[in-house]
Amino acid sequence: MSVESQAGRGPEIENLLAEKRTFPPDPAFTARANVTAAIYDEANADYVGFWERQAKERLSWYTPFGETLQWDLPDAKWFVGGELNVAYNCVDRHVERGLGDRVAYHWIGEPGDTRTLTYADLLREVSKAANALLELGVRTGDRVAIYLPMIPELPIAMLACARIGAPHTVVFGGFSAEALSGRINDCGAKVLITADGGWRRGKKVGLKHHADEACTDAPTIEHVIVVDRFGDGVHMVPRRDHWWHDIVDRQSESCPPVPVDAEHMLYLLYTSGTTAKPKGILHTSAGYLLGSAFTHWAVFDIKPDDVYWCAADIGWVTGHSYIVYGPLANASTGIIYEGAPDTPEWDRWWQIVEDYKVTILYTAPTAIRAFMKQGETHPAGHDLSSLRLLGSVGEPINPEAWRWYREVIGGDRVPVVDTWWQTETGMILISPLPGVTTTKPGSATFPMPGIEADVVDADGRSVPLGGGGYLVLKRPWPAMLRGIYGDPERYRQTYWSRFPGMYFAGDGAKRDEEGYLWLLGRVDDVMNVAGHRISTTEVESALVDHRSVAEAAVVGKTDAISGQAIFAFVILKAGQQPSDALGVQLREHVAYVIGPIARPKYLMFVPDLPKTRSGKIMRRLLRDIAEGRALGDVTTLADANVVDTIRSNTGQAEEE
Ligand code: PRX
């Protein structure tokens, strides 16, 4: 089976071949661009020396580092012996340089309330929040869990942790109580920072009851800090729970940043893999900060007067690297919007671009496709002329969406950068450099300066130009993950064992005759739904957890908006009858166990599943069935009748 068919992206490949247009950089953009083509040669001639220079220029150190890189595959140490503080680098030093009045964030609440935080405001708020954590007994090295909507307290809480060297783990607000407690327990967090809730699509979405439920199952949590977003009051557990406005507001505005080792853990972020247990991806301080800051500067061509908007949620890695750490290290001005793109109308984002004169917008293909579906009238009704650069991340962007983004949002004049990276990579690794790279719609183009990527066959041999295979990375990079929390063997196995000496990203890729990289999606059992990785096994476990379910198999089905949609095949226990109501119940059960993001869009009750003679579920056949296409090789199937029975049923796959 080819990588393309494993990845289930057949039609995209045809599109890709049909796509012939290229977009050379605009000379006016090039004239002002932060980088020139020379940066590739400079970085690739001596990548360690390149990162050494970057680390000296871009970061402020308490103790200078000695060796730049100690590389004992798969363990990297960058900037050995150096000491710094990440919050100091993101906030204090800008204020010390006289930039206290510069806006760090324009925050926009969904109902229309707004807040502006300058760097001086941020310094004050972060220091107070850090003092509150100290008062609650949090010490350098202790883990803090953060479960918040997109409100200013979210980046403030992250920076407060960084200020005292307490690693944070941010759990996306859309995750369930069970997902939250699982993450808290994996890392043994001592304090949880949450809120009564946040606004989404005109509704108050509560978080505190999930937090409470999670805490009943998370014995390490000693204290909970609760942000009051609604002012409606919530149940507070005496001695454990503290309102943010009580405990933070009364603190001193001075809290000296704690110098930490370059390799001190900055945060954990949990992500899906091929098993049901999410992995705690471990990022450390200096290398991560440098990687996010450098790439933010080079890829987004960031200038002091830019108004930069990364429209991701801070709960995902995109928000960590490109709303919080990279942009703040560069003293840039950003937008944070709390709510949904269609509230009150589908032009909410374009209104924000117009109101704040946004110059750079970074979002995901799933959002772009959702906007495309709404037509051009919404963007056409707003002045988008302030935009000068557009970015995409999270999944392969189809050429139509790429062109629409450039033409309709970018007025056919601004560069589009399609950026490939992962929670594990911490920073953008494959992307055009605006002003330098000639782009092709749908291609992430080339590895970033200093990064060595390759496309290899099943034996790890580089495929010739024009061929497809597995995407690998052949050199360490500063923001790379340092491990999976508490599980070094899983780290080695997952990323470094498939191809000896190389990092395997789990993605398929193709390289065209000119060496451009085209990402083809995941080749493992991980789905990409609306730009978020969800493991098939995780959803299956959630289904089987329901008392009526005997067995379940889940695959990703191509979806016009979300890239992939979750398709679940469910076998009921004896005596249980399939019904629409049960279908709804099972979907809700998955949403309850993992979070609404994992709720299957399609669910089909089946009498049996296609298996090999050794009993392994043949997912590729299920994918063929879900996509409604001809079946691939069925010779290893134990019982051919099973597939026929399922196929004759597909019409009944119930769509949400
Ligand atoms: O499959 C790739 C896809 O998203 C995966 C990483 O997901 P996550 O760790 O959640 O991080 C998402 C945001 C960085 C990758 O393995 N992916 C990400 N960006 C792209 C992409 N696929 C194609 N093109 C991209 N630009």
Side-chain angles (χ1 to χ4, degrees):
M1 184 175 32
S2 71
V3 171
E4 285 86 348
S5 65
Q6 271 187 15
R9 304 204 63 87
E12 273 73 2
I13 294 162
E14 284 155 33
N15 279 339
L16 168 170
L17 293 177
E19 183 52 59
K20 289 278 191 287
R21 282 177 72 190
T22 58
F23 294 83
D26 173 358
F29 197 108
T30 305
R32 288 195 68 221
N34 284 352
V35 289
T36 65
I39 198 167
Y40 289 105
D41 290 341
E42 183 207 335
N44 293 328
D46 170 14
Y47 78 97
V48 177
F50 172 75
W51 291 120
E52 177 185 334
R53 284 191 297 285
Q54 293 295 333
K56 287 181 175 160
E57 277 168 29
R58 290 181 189 279
L59 301 184
S60 304
W61 299 86
Y62 295 114
T63 310
F65 57 90
E67 208 178 342
T68 301
L69 171 66
Q70 269 177 16
W71 179 222
D72 180 12
L73 189 140
D75 299 311
K77 282 199 175 82
W78 283 90
F79 314 119
V80 181
E83 284 191 311
L84 82 178
N85 181 278
V86 170
Y88 175 84
N89 274 274
C90 290
V91 186
D92 305 48
R93 62 173 177 160
H94 307 320
V95 178
E96 289 169 10
R97 266 199 301 150
L99 299 180
D101 291 338
R102 184 180 289 180
V103 174
Y105 294 122
H106 293 287
W107 175 80
I108 303 147
E110 196 189 74
D113 45 342
T114 60
R115 229 173 119 181
T116 304
L117 282 166
T118 63
Y119 277 91
D121 296 333
L122 206 51
L123 176 56
R124 208 174 39 246
E125 296 305 319
V126 168
S127 300
K128 287 194 297 185
N131 280 327
L133 291 173
L134 290 171
E135 181 184 315
L136 295 179
V138 177
R139 296 292 171 261
T140 303
D142 288 344
R143 276 80 59 215
V144 172
I146 302 176
Y147 183 58
L148 284 172
M150 285 283 280
I151 54 178
E153 286 79 2
L154 175 47
I156 291 170
M158 293 162 76
L159 292 163
C161 290
R163 194 166 192 85
I164 60 172
H168 55 71
T169 185
V170 179
V171 180
F172 171 57
F175 277 130
S176 66
E178 208 167 314
L180 175 59
S181 64
R183 285 154 172 78
I184 292 174
N185 289 329
D186 188 74
C187 69
K190 209 167 163 177
V191 165
L192 169 64
I193 304 178
T194 186
D196 47 358
W199 288 90
R200 188 88 195 158
R201 297 217 156 79
K203 292 204 183 70
K204 292 177 180 176
V205 179
L207 281 183
K208 178 65 164 57
H209 61 290
H210 290 313
D212 285 340
E213 194 184 329
C215 286
T216 58
D217 199 21
T220 55
I221 293 292
E222 295 170 11
H223 292 282
V224 179
I225 301 181
V226 187
V227 179
D228 189 10
R229 171 87 182 97
F230 303 141
D232 296 341
V234 285
H235 173 68
M236 297 287 277
V237 176
R239 285 179 298 281
R240 189 197 70 182
D241 295 357
H242 313 264
W243 285 110
W244 175 288
H245 55 259
D246 286 337
I247 193 160
V248 173
D249 287 1
R250 65 175 155 76
Q251 300 292 332
S252 151
E253 291 178 5
S254 149
C255 176
V258 175
V260 298
D261 188 87
E263 286 296 334
H264 183 73
M265 175 164 48
L266 176 64
Y267 71 80
L268 292 170
L269 190 58
Y270 286 81
T271 190
S272 296
T274 53
T275 75
K277 190 176 185 294
K279 304 173 283 196
I281 301 301
L282 194 161
H283 283 292
T284 58
S285 299
Y288 172 79
L289 187 64
L290 178 69
S292 54
F294 168 77
T295 50
H296 177 254
W297 172 85
V299 172
F300 299 110
D301 189 49
I302 204 80
K303 305 276 198 292
D305 55 354
D306 272 314
V307 179
Y308 160 87
W309 184 12
C310 167
D313 192 290
I314 294 177
W316 308 108
V317 75
T318 307
H320 281 58
S321 299
Y322 298 109
I323 298 177
V324 183
Y325 292 112
L328 294 180
N330 291 329
S332 63
T333 295
I335 300 276
I336 299 180
Y337 169 55
E338 176 188 31
D342 59 350
T343 308
E345 295 297 336
W346 269 103
D347 67 346
R348 185 69 189 263
W349 281 26
W350 317 128
Q351 184 71 54
I352 293 174
V353 169
E354 179 174 343
D355 289 349
Y356 289 86
K357 302 202 169 22
V358 172
T359 58
I360 300 165
L361 178 66
Y362 189 32
T363 186
T366 185
I368 299 167
R369 289 190 296 262
F371 289 125
M372 278 172 82
K373 199 175 158 204
Q374 299 303 319
E376 296 178 14
T377 45
H378 293 297
H382 293 277
D383 178 5
L384 306 182
S385 62
S386 55
L387 288 169
R388 66 178 195 91
L389 180 65
L390 298 172
S392 169
V393 62
E395 55 183 311
I397 179 164
N398 40 316
E400 305 86 271
W402 194 103
R403 282 196 307 267
W404 189 90
Y405 196 27
R406 179 180 156 104
E407 285 164 17
V408 178
I409 305 304
D412 211 6
R413 55 184 176 82
V414 314
V416 173
V417 288
D418 172 17
T419 65
W420 178 90
W421 58 296
Q422 308 179 293
T423 305
E424 292 87 342
T425 71
M427 65 194 243
I428 295 168
L429 293 190
I430 302 176
S431 170
L433 289 178
V436 175
T437 313
T438 293
T439 53
K440 300 184 182 183
S443 169
T445 73
F446 304 105
M448 288 286 288
I451 302 303
E452 189 182 349
D454 200 357
V455 179
V456 299
D457 64 18
D459 299 321
R461 282 188 302 252
S462 199
V463 301
L465 294 186
Y470 302 92
L471 180 71
V472 294
L473 301 163
K474 292 183 153 174
R475 278 180 200 153
W477 61 99
M480 66 190 271
L481 77 166
R482 299 300 196 268
I484 295 176
Y485 189 69
D487 202 345
E489 182 50 27
R490 190 176 177 200
Y491 168 62
R492 205 187 54 74
Q493 272 293 334
T494 309
Y495 303 107
W496 301 94
S497 67
R498 176 72 182 78
F499 303 105
M502 305 174 211
Y503 171 92
F504 175 44
D507 282 1
K510 189 181 155 91
R511 203 161 28 190
D512 70 16
E513 299 296 342
E514 294 176 310
Y516 281 70
L517 290 163
W518 301 78
L519 276 302
L520 301 173
R522 307 284 310 172
V523 297
D524 51 22
D525 284 332
V526 177
M527 300 168 289
N528 190 320
V529 181
H532 302 303
R533 276 157 64 185
I534 298 174
S535 96
T536 51
T537 333
E538 217 177 329
V539 179
E540 286 162 5
S541 307
L543 284 165
V544 175
D545 178 67
H546 189 278
R547 58 190 150 66
S548 311
V549 176
E551 201 175 348
V554 163
V555 297
K557 172 177 161 65
T558 309
D559 187 87
I561 303 286
S562 62
Q564 284 192 307
I566 301 179
F567 195 128
F569 297 86
V570 174
I571 304 180
L572 293 176
K573 282 187 183 151
Q576 298 290 330
Q577 289 309 317
S579 68
D580 288 354
L582 184 57
V584 171
Q585 244 189 54
L586 294 181
R587 285 196 177 90
E588 286 315 309
H589 188 71
V590 175
Y592 173 76
V593 175
I594 306 174
I597 191 166
R599 185 189 283 121
K601 179 165 180 184
Y602 304 89
L603 191 139
M604 191 173 156
F605 294 107
V606 291
D608 209 344
L609 288 167
K611 292 188 180 159
T612 61
R613 282 174 200 95
S614 63
K616 225 173 150 235
I617 295 174
M618 293 181 73
R619 279 169 205 290
R620 74 181 161 77
L621 293 184
L622 291 175
R623 272 196 289 267
D624 291 341
I625 293 171
E627 301 285 2
R629 60 180 178 230
L631 294 190
D633 184 4
V634 290
T635 46
T636 51
L637 193 59
D639 176 2
N641 295 326
V642 173
V643 177
D644 294 335
T645 321
I646 299 179
R647 292 199 102 182
S648 61
N649 260 331
T650 15
Q652 293 161 25
E654 191 204 327
E655 191 177 338
E656 190 181 39

PDB file of all heavy atoms in Angstrom, residues 448-461:
ATOM      1  N   MET A 448      12.785  25.022   7.230  1.00  0.00           N
ATOM      2  CA  MET A 448      13.282  26.308   7.725  1.00  0.00           C
ATOM      3  C   MET A 448      14.810  26.268   7.794  1.00  0.00           C
ATOM      4  O   MET A 448      15.412  25.204   7.851  1.00  0.00           O
ATOM      5  CB  MET A 448      12.715  26.556   9.127  1.00  0.00           C
ATOM      6  CG  MET A 448      11.238  26.888   9.138  1.00  0.00           C
ATOM      7  SD  MET A 448      10.932  28.560   8.553  1.00  0.00           S
ATOM      8  CE  MET A 448      11.556  29.509   9.947  1.00  0.00           C
ATOM      9  N   PRO A 449      15.454  27.439   7.815  1.00  0.00           N
ATOM     10  CA  PRO A 449      16.914  27.483   7.954  1.00  0.00           C
ATOM     11  C   PRO A 449      17.375  26.655   9.157  1.00  0.00           C
ATOM     12  O   PRO A 449      16.792  26.749  10.233  1.00  0.00           O
ATOM     13  CB  PRO A 449      17.202  28.968   8.188  1.00  0.00           C
ATOM     14  CG  PRO A 449      16.031  29.688   7.583  1.00  0.00           C
ATOM     15  CD  PRO A 449      14.856  28.779   7.745  1.00  0.00           C
ATOM     16  N   GLY A 450      18.375  25.842   8.959  1.00  0.00           N
ATOM     17  CA  GLY A 450      18.923  25.038  10.045  1.00  0.00           C
ATOM     18  C   GLY A 450      18.219  23.704  10.250  1.00  0.00           C
ATOM     19  O   GLY A 450      18.668  22.880  11.040  1.00  0.00           O
ATOM     20  N   ILE A 451      17.114  23.492   9.538  1.00  0.00           N
ATOM     21  CA  ILE A 451      16.335  22.256   9.716  1.00  0.00           C
ATOM     22  C   ILE A 451      16.616  21.328   8.544  1.00  0.00           C
ATOM     23  O   ILE A 451      16.615  21.767   7.392  1.00  0.00           O
ATOM     24  CB  ILE A 451      14.823  22.586   9.757  1.00  0.00           C
ATOM     25  CG1 ILE A 451      14.513  23.570  10.886  1.00  0.00           C
ATOM     26  CG2 ILE A 451      13.976  21.310   9.870  1.00  0.00           C
ATOM     27  CD1 ILE A 451      14.926  23.121  12.270  1.00  0.00           C
ATOM     28  N   GLU A 452      16.838  20.061   8.837  1.00  0.00           N
ATOM     29  CA  GLU A 452      17.033  19.111   7.752  1.00  0.00           C
ATOM     30  C   GLU A 452      15.886  18.107   7.740  1.00  0.00           C
ATOM     31  O   GLU A 452      15.755  17.290   8.644  1.00  0.00           O
ATOM     32  CB  GLU A 452      18.370  18.376   7.901  1.00  0.00           C
ATOM     33  CG  GLU A 452      18.678  17.554   6.655  1.00  0.00           C
ATOM     34  CD  GLU A 452      19.972  16.754   6.763  1.00  0.00           C
ATOM     35  OE1 GLU A 452      20.745  16.975   7.707  1.00  0.00           O
ATOM     36  OE2 GLU A 452      20.173  15.898   5.886  1.00  0.00           O
ATOM     37  N   ALA A 453      15.041  18.216   6.727  1.00  0.00           N
ATOM     38  CA  ALA A 453      13.921  17.291   6.583  1.00  0.00           C
ATOM     39  C   ALA A 453      14.181  16.431   5.359  1.00  0.00           C
ATOM     40  O   ALA A 453      14.898  16.832   4.445  1.00  0.00           O
ATOM     41  CB  ALA A 453      12.619  18.063   6.420  1.00  0.00           C
ATOM     42  N   ASP A 454      13.588  15.242   5.353  1.00  0.00           N
ATOM     43  CA  ASP A 454      13.749  14.373   4.190  1.00  0.00           C
ATOM     44  C   ASP A 454      12.462  13.564   4.013  1.00  0.00           C
ATOM     45  O   ASP A 454      11.652  13.462   4.936  1.00  0.00           O
ATOM     46  CB  ASP A 454      14.951  13.436   4.409  1.00  0.00           C
ATOM     47  CG  ASP A 454      15.483  12.852   3.101  1.00  0.00           C
ATOM     48  OD1 ASP A 454      14.896  13.119   2.024  1.00  0.00           O
ATOM     49  OD2 ASP A 454      16.491  12.115   3.153  1.00  0.00           O
ATOM     50  N   VAL A 455      12.305  13.011   2.820  1.00  0.00           N
ATOM     51  CA  VAL A 455      11.197  12.097   2.569  1.00  0.00           C
ATOM     52  C   VAL A 455      11.840  10.757   2.245  1.00  0.00           C
ATOM     53  O   VAL A 455      12.674  10.672   1.339  1.00  0.00           O
ATOM     54  CB  VAL A 455      10.327  12.599   1.393  1.00  0.00           C
ATOM     55  CG1 VAL A 455       9.191  11.623   1.127  1.00  0.00           C
ATOM     56  CG2 VAL A 455       9.784  13.994   1.688  1.00  0.00           C
ATOM     57  N   VAL A 456      11.484   9.735   3.031  1.00  0.00           N
ATOM     58  CA  VAL A 456      12.161   8.447   2.874  1.00  0.00           C
ATOM     59  C   VAL A 456      11.164   7.332   2.577  1.00  0.00           C
ATOM     60  O   VAL A 456       9.970   7.457   2.869  1.00  0.00           O
ATOM     61  CB  VAL A 456      12.982   8.082   4.143  1.00  0.00           C
ATOM     62  CG1 VAL A 456      14.066   9.122   4.412  1.00  0.00           C
ATOM     63  CG2 VAL A 456      12.080   7.909   5.367  1.00  0.00           C
ATOM     64  N   ASP A 457      11.684   6.233   2.044  1.00  0.00           N
ATOM     65  CA  ASP A 457      10.827   5.068   1.802  1.00  0.00           C
ATOM     66  C   ASP A 457      10.779   4.205   3.065  1.00  0.00           C
ATOM     67  O   ASP A 457      11.370   4.557   4.090  1.00  0.00           O
ATOM     68  CB  ASP A 457      11.303   4.287   0.566  1.00  0.00           C
ATOM     69  CG  ASP A 457      12.699   3.688   0.756  1.00  0.00           C
ATOM     70  OD1 ASP A 457      13.166   3.576   1.917  1.00  0.00           O
ATOM     71  OD2 ASP A 457      13.320   3.317  -0.265  1.00  0.00           O
ATOM     72  N   ALA A 458      10.112   3.050   2.964  1.00  0.00           N
ATOM     73  CA  ALA A 458       9.911   2.222   4.154  1.00  0.00           C
ATOM     74  C   ALA A 458      11.229   1.760   4.771  1.00  0.00           C
ATOM     75  O   ALA A 458      11.298   1.436   5.953  1.00  0.00           O
ATOM     76  CB  ALA A 458       9.046   1.029   3.799  1.00  0.00           C
ATOM     77  N   ASP A 459      12.313   1.775   3.979  1.00  0.00           N
ATOM     78  CA  ASP A 459      13.614   1.371   4.512  1.00  0.00           C
ATOM     79  C   ASP A 459      14.457   2.549   4.961  1.00  0.00           C
ATOM     80  O   ASP A 459      15.640   2.391   5.255  1.00  0.00           O
ATOM     81  CB  ASP A 459      14.394   0.584   3.447  1.00  0.00           C
ATOM     82  CG  ASP A 459      13.648  -0.682   3.054  1.00  0.00           C
ATOM     83  OD1 ASP A 459      13.076  -1.306   3.971  1.00  0.00           O
ATOM     84  OD2 ASP A 459      13.615  -1.008   1.852  1.00  0.00           O
ATOM     85  N   GLY A 460      13.858   3.726   4.953  1.00  0.00           N
ATOM     86  CA  GLY A 460      14.597   4.898   5.428  1.00  0.00           C
ATOM     87  C   GLY A 460      15.504   5.514   4.371  1.00  0.00           C
ATOM     88  O   GLY A 460      16.347   6.352   4.687  1.00  0.00           O
ATOM     89  N   ARG A 461      15.335   5.100   3.116  1.00  0.00           N
ATOM     90  CA  ARG A 461      16.163   5.682   2.051  1.00  0.00           C
ATOM     91  C   ARG A 461      15.445   6.881   1.449  1.00  0.00           C
ATOM     92  O   ARG A 461      14.250   6.827   1.161  1.00  0.00           O
ATOM     93  CB  ARG A 461      16.419   4.649   0.945  1.00  0.00           C
ATOM     94  CG  ARG A 461      17.496   3.632   1.297  1.00  0.00           C
ATOM     95  CD  ARG A 461      17.803   2.787   0.089  1.00  0.00           C
ATOM     96  NE  ARG A 461      16.574   2.122  -0.377  1.00  0.00           N
ATOM     97  CZ  ARG A 461      16.337   0.819  -0.241  1.00  0.00           C
ATOM     98  NH1 ARG A 461      17.234   0.036   0.306  1.00  0.00           N
ATOM     99  NH2 ARG A 461      15.197   0.284  -0.685  1.00  0.00           N
TER     100      ARG A 461
END
